[in-house]
Amino acid sequence: MIDFPLLSVLVWLPILGGAILLVMEALGFPDIRPTALVVALATFLLSMLLYTHFDISTAAMQFQELAPWIEAFSVNYHLGVDGISMPLIILTTFTTVLVVLAGWEVIKNKIGQYMAAFLIMEGLMNGVFASLDAVLFYVFWEAMLVPMFLIIGIWGGPRRVYATIKFFLYTFLGSVLMLVALIYMHLQSGAFGILDFHRLPLGMTEQILIFLAFLMAFAVKVPMWPVHTWLPDAHVEAPTGGSVILAAIMLKIGGYGFLRFSLPITPDASHALDWLIILMSLVAVVYIGFVALVQEDMKKLIAYSSIAHMGFVTLGIFLVFTLLDNTGSTGGAALGMEGGMVQMISHGFISGALFLCVGVLYDRLHSRQISDYGGVVNTMPVFAAFMVLFALANSGLPGTSGFVGEFMVIIASFKANFWFAALAATIMILGAAYSLWLVKRVIFGEIANDGVRQLEDINRREFVVLASLAFVVLLFGLWPAPLVEVMHASVDNLLAHVSVSKLPHEAGMALLGNGN
């Protein structure tokens, strides 16, 4: 039993740590990086208590904390996690440790502000995943944009102002529609509890409008085609740590939103409009894969790769209705949904690792252009081994975590529709094409120029960062059970919600109250 408010600690410890770093820098402390690392490590180790004390046999929210916040509007400080949100919190805390280490020597100016921005953003993202009150969720959702806006705007590349404004406008405008939907549901239910929204009966017109409002917010975050254009610009201009957090965590918040809001609150509208999400997902999988193939900037290539791989996530999530209609059982639907969730976690590790690899090269040659490299294996053999591993994982190589989620989604796609599976499977071919084409041009061959000839292999700090990610990618590739098992009960509960109509006066409405 955990007898202290663990989730609150995971939210507020890094935020408090970030504030302390800002004070330390203002007071002129000579080196505040160790303090940032201690806070990040402490948050990660505490987050592991979520896993070790998690009950995989129940779908109920665990580690719940509830206190009144704005009583006049029935707004509460309500936190809790299930098998959907808990792995994402651990992914966030783990990645933040690596980001702090990655910026250890690279960031030369405003070090305290840089580290503080990432710690504060970590706490806010943990708050997004743990919130069970819609207002609290929205506050964390919007607040986390500010640190990322500053990270790109202050430590980014030459076009950072354009990238930050585009990033902020896309994500903020989508969120405004979500706020309207949340307020409407509050007026209908008299509460802001997310679990209360899950039980709220809504007419079809209401559901469609609410679904579309959520879609605008979550599709931008994923990002889905065609609202994806902010991501390559943000990645190219962001410092390495910013790219890692964007790819590994922030994109996953869109997928999480579909699972926590769209499916259980508007199941009938989700069923009626699932063809739209499946179409957008397949376009992302195929079209964006071809776009990635022609990129000359390493960061842009990996950014487009992220869009294509996140298409697998939304495809796996929204195949649920086709599978339920075709088979009448939840087995295939659970496989697709769990595959999408595994893909979210796996992509967090792999994409973060690839951006860190690009960062290692950029720190040495100050170029992201593929044409400026060639033959890196001759001067950086240890680094080359890591980058080849992560590129193969990005291609979906069996034995790596990149294979598990994609394989589960493709199997579910076959059960739903052969052509869905055929199109989805192309990403494995395209993924191998652009990943291995990148490796061939950057890593292998003869030494291309004097810049490559003078490269030095990774140091001990960089080795620890990349080795940690390599370990996790291989662990979940060879033994995915620890990740998949925690999801089963929550996925079954979610399927129970989506398989029962929420239209007013429909038979079976009483079933909706049993899941939570």
Side-chain angles (χ1 to χ4, degrees):
M1 284 291 294
I2 302 292
D3 56 1
F4 66 97
L6 178 57
L7 289 176
S8 285
V9 172
L10 294 178
V11 171
W12 298 108
L13 173 61
I15 294 175
L16 178 62
I20 291 172
L21 292 184
L22 294 175
V23 173
M24 290 174 66
E25 186 171 65
L27 294 176
F29 277 73
D31 189 4
I32 57 183
R33 292 171 297 182
T35 305
L37 181 59
V38 167
V39 173
L41 276 173
T43 307
F44 169 64
L45 293 175
L46 286 169
S47 72
M48 291 304 298
L49 294 175
L50 292 177
Y51 185 84
T52 57
H53 290 75
F54 191 81
D55 183 359
I56 64 173
S57 65
T58 177
M61 291 293 172
Q62 302 179 44
F63 308 98
Q64 287 197 57
E65 301 171 31
L66 178 62
W69 181 18
I70 309 173
E71 296 188 50
F73 296 100
S74 302
V75 177
N76 297 306
Y77 178 82
H78 191 187
L79 302 177
V81 293
D82 61 0
I84 296 172
S85 54
M86 183 270 287
L88 292 167
I89 291 178
I90 296 177
L91 173 65
T92 303
T93 59
F94 175 76
T95 305
T96 303
V97 174
L98 302 184
V99 166
V100 170
L101 286 172
W104 198 268
E105 297 173 359
V106 178
I107 303 301
K108 305 295 185 184
N109 65 311
K110 302 178 181 176
I111 299 172
Q113 296 176 35
Y114 179 85
M115 298 295 183
F118 280 105
L119 290 177
I120 291 170
M121 187 161 55
E122 175 189 16
L124 296 173
M125 291 187 296
N126 287 342
V128 168
F129 294 128
S131 293
L132 294 180
D133 183 274
V135 173
L136 188 64
F137 172 87
Y138 188 79
V139 169
F140 285 130
W141 170 279
E142 291 294 338
M144 72 181 180
L145 298 180
V146 178
M148 182 56 71
F149 182 88
L150 296 174
I151 288 167
I152 300 174
I154 297 174
W155 294 277
R159 298 179 70 243
R160 59 186 180 272
V161 174
Y162 167 78
T164 51
I165 292 175
K166 190 174 182 179
F167 159 72
F168 192 86
L169 287 178
Y170 266 72
T171 51
F172 180 76
L173 291 176
S175 302
V176 170
L177 295 175
M178 178 175 71
L179 178 61
V180 173
L182 296 177
I183 292 173
Y184 176 81
M185 288 187 290
H186 164 70
L187 296 175
Q188 299 300 307
S189 64
F192 271 111
I194 295 174
L195 301 183
D196 293 325
F197 290 167
H198 289 185
R199 293 184 285 268
L200 180 64
L202 296 165
M204 191 56 151
T205 302
E206 294 172 298
Q207 286 196 40
I208 288 176
L209 291 174
I210 292 171
F211 177 86
L212 292 175
F214 285 146
L215 176 61
M216 289 300 297
F218 302 144
V220 170
K221 269 288 194 295
V222 168
M224 301 179 70
W225 176 89
V227 289
H228 65 281
T229 56
W230 64 268
L231 184 67
D233 292 316
H235 271 308
V236 167
E237 299 305 321
T240 299
S243 291
V244 172
I245 292 297
L246 262 176
I249 313 298
M250 294 193 77
L251 305 191
K252 312 306 177 290
I253 293 175
Y256 172 77
F258 284 125
L259 293 167
R260 183 65 76 219
F261 288 87
S262 300
L263 291 183
I265 294 175
T266 60
D268 301 288
S270 299
H271 193 173
L273 297 175
D274 64 343
W275 62 270
L276 175 62
I277 308 300
I278 291 172
L279 176 63
M280 294 167 68
S281 302
L282 291 173
V283 170
V285 165
V286 180
Y287 164 68
I288 301 297
F290 280 109
V291 174
L293 195 58
V294 299
Q295 298 304 311
E296 292 298 327
D297 183 301
M298 288 187 284
K299 264 196 171 184
K300 269 198 173 181
L301 188 151
I302 300 167
Y304 281 113
S305 168
S306 296
I307 299 169
H309 281 87
M310 288 302 293
F312 258 96
V313 174
T314 50
L315 178 64
I317 291 172
F318 279 89
L319 280 174
V320 55
F321 300 103
T322 305
L323 288 163
L324 289 173
D325 290 342
N326 289 356
T327 65
S329 68
T330 59
L335 182 67
M337 192 171 289
E338 290 178 1
M341 292 165 60
V342 169
Q343 177 70 358
M344 277 202 290
I345 304 297
S346 169
H347 179 262
F349 295 127
I350 296 170
S351 63
L354 286 171
F355 279 115
L356 286 168
C357 286
V358 174
V360 167
L361 293 175
Y362 183 80
D363 294 340
R364 288 158 169 77
L365 278 189
H366 301 291
S367 173
R368 294 185 300 267
Q369 295 300 309
I370 297 172
S371 58
D372 290 337
Y373 294 89
V376 171
V377 68
N378 297 287
T379 52
M380 302 177 69
V382 177
F383 167 80
F386 280 121
M387 187 162 181
V388 169
L389 170 64
F390 296 133
L392 291 172
N394 199 50
S395 306
L397 179 73
T400 66
S401 61
F403 172 77
V404 179
E406 291 183 0
F407 183 72
M408 293 170 72
V409 173
I410 288 175
I411 293 298
S413 300
F414 267 112
K415 294 184 177 183
N417 185 295
F418 170 80
W419 293 109
F420 291 171
L423 288 172
T426 59
I427 189 57
M428 304 192 80
I429 301 171
L430 290 172
Y434 57 68
S435 299
L436 299 181
W437 181 230
L438 171 68
V439 165
K440 177 185 181 298
R441 290 179 288 173
V442 172
I443 300 297
F444 295 116
E446 299 296 326
I447 295 177
N449 53 58
D450 290 338
V452 174
R453 186 172 288 108
Q454 295 171 7
L455 289 175
E456 295 182 0
D457 213 341
I458 53 176
N459 56 36
R460 195 174 304 172
R461 173 185 56 84
E462 293 167 331
F463 179 86
V464 168
V465 172
L466 296 179
S468 300
L469 286 163
F471 172 77
V472 177
V473 166
L474 292 173
L475 173 67
F476 290 130
L478 297 171
W479 188 38
L483 178 58
V484 177
E485 286 174 353
V486 300
M487 302 176 179
H488 287 327
S490 297
V491 168
D492 289 342
N493 177 49
L494 182 54
L495 290 174
H497 277 77
V498 303
S499 60
V500 179
S501 174
K502 290 183 68 176
L503 296 177
H505 312 303
E506 286 285 336
M509 273 297 300
L511 295 175
L512 290 173
N514 297 334
N516 299 304

